[in-house]
Amino acid sequence: AVFENAGDAIAWVEFDDGVPVVRDANPAFRETFGGSDTDVIGRSIDRVVASDQRRTEAESLSRRVRAGEQLSGEVTRDTSDREFLWRAAPIADDDTGQVDAGFAIYTDITERKRREQQLEALQRRTQSLFETDSVTETARVAVETADEMLDAELSGVHLLSDDEETLEAVAVTDSVRETLGGAPDYPRDSDSPTVQPVWEAFQRGETITIEDTEEWSELADATVARSAVIQPLDDEGVFVVSATEPAAFDETDERLT
């Protein structure tokens, strides 16, 4: 039941004269790489999952598995045009020690990799805030990118004022202006509940993640945002990334700078 219902694509493979032949596959594997038993069962797994361009790599991994290596890693399998975390679970004969069968497990990480690439682009933008003649323009691009990539519709870059008493908005998303009627600043001496976590992140130099503002008694009725990541920008200011949905950001999203 676990094999059949697993979300990962899993195949049971037996080596026949050194060829890794698929003897069984769960629905996720068939859907990902074949579509039917006739496309998968009885064929070399290397031919099922890899096109001619990647066949050599796949065959090399299969030989290493048969030699008894415990392997895993990220692979691209272009027969499905997706990226996977691939793991081999070889099973050796009790008497000979020879690996003659095993499981091949593919976890689809395509979306995660795409998101990581997008976040790297966002990271480069935030890191370049203070390496450009146009901080405001770079900040604007950063918040727009956060909105587009992370669905962080309530986001802004706030830099420390000359008198060091206010984290002033230099760029915010259109949704912030529409929702709040403008671009909010965060005065150090304000008693607004939304100011405290922003200044705390800035002064500590550590990211603060709020999964659900309703679980913060002081924030529950003070903001329309339900989740947020407050990222300090060295000693220059903060990048506030927030959304109207709770738990909108995962650990990857928190790596903004």
Side-chain angles (χ1 to χ4, degrees):
V2 174
F3 176 79
E4 288 295 317
N5 296 327
D8 292 339
I10 306 174
W12 170 252
V13 177
E14 295 178 354
F15 286 94
D16 185 355
D17 289 331
V19 178
V21 178
V22 179
R23 297 304 186 194
D24 196 7
N26 71 348
F29 187 94
R30 292 194 295 271
E31 180 180 349
T32 301
F33 294 110
S36 68
D37 283 350
T38 56
D39 295 324
V40 173
I41 306 303
R43 296 181 61 202
S44 164
I45 192 172
D46 298 329
R47 292 186 174 275
V48 172
V49 304
S51 67
D52 292 342
Q53 288 81 0
R54 294 186 180 273
R55 187 76 43 73
T56 299
E57 174 204 23
E59 291 174 345
S60 174
L61 290 173
S62 293
R63 287 193 296 270
R64 292 173 62 188
V65 170
R66 197 183 186 210
E69 292 189 52
Q70 298 281 344
L71 297 178
S72 66
E74 295 181 3
V75 296
T76 299
R77 289 294 174 254
D78 44 6
T79 52
S80 67
D81 193 29
R82 307 197 57 88
E83 295 183 74
F84 298 89
L85 173 61
W86 168 78
R87 289 153 289 171
I91 298 175
D93 184 275
D94 290 337
D95 297 325
T96 65
Q98 174 71 47
V99 172
D100 49 20
F103 289 100
I105 306 166
Y106 290 86
T107 302
D108 193 334
I109 58 172
T110 306
E111 290 306 310
R112 191 194 81 189
K113 297 294 290 184
R114 180 190 64 81
R115 200 171 180 86
E116 286 178 351
Q117 291 169 358
Q118 292 175 330
L119 284 167
E120 287 173 3
L122 178 57
Q123 181 183 38
R124 288 193 295 271
R125 287 190 174 100
T126 56
Q127 287 178 332
S128 67
L129 274 174
F130 313 111
E131 300 171 2
T132 176
D133 292 333
S134 180
V135 172
T136 301
E137 176 62 18
T138 306
R140 183 190 63 78
V141 172
V143 297
E144 289 180 355
T145 304
D147 186 7
E148 177 184 350
M149 293 181 180
L150 308 180
D151 294 326
E153 68 270 32
L154 302 174
S155 300
V157 172
H158 305 260
L159 302 184
L160 190 64
S161 61
D162 291 339
D163 63 6
E164 300 186 353
E165 291 301 320
T166 304
L167 290 165
E168 298 177 333
V170 295
V172 297
T173 57
D174 290 340
S175 294
V176 168
R177 295 185 184 278
E178 294 167 2
T179 303
L180 303 181
D185 294 332
Y186 297 104
R188 187 197 299 266
D189 60 0
S190 172
D191 57 3
S192 170
T194 60
V195 171
Q196 185 270 331
V198 174
W199 271 93
E200 181 179 351
F202 174 67
Q203 292 175 322
R204 287 168 49 188
E206 298 177 0
T207 300
I208 290 180
T209 300
I210 301 173
E211 293 191 354
D212 191 346
T213 54
E214 291 195 355
E215 295 179 356
W216 290 48
S217 58
E218 65 274 21
L219 290 177
D221 299 318
T223 176
V224 295
R226 286 292 302 276
S227 56
V229 178
I230 306 169
Q231 176 71 47
L233 300 172
D234 297 327
D235 58 354
E236 302 287 345
V238 293
F239 190 4
V240 179
V241 178
S242 57
T244 55
E245 296 296 323
F249 310 110
D250 58 26
E251 292 181 1
T252 303
D253 298 335
E254 294 169 21
R255 291 162 35 208
L256 295 175
T257 64

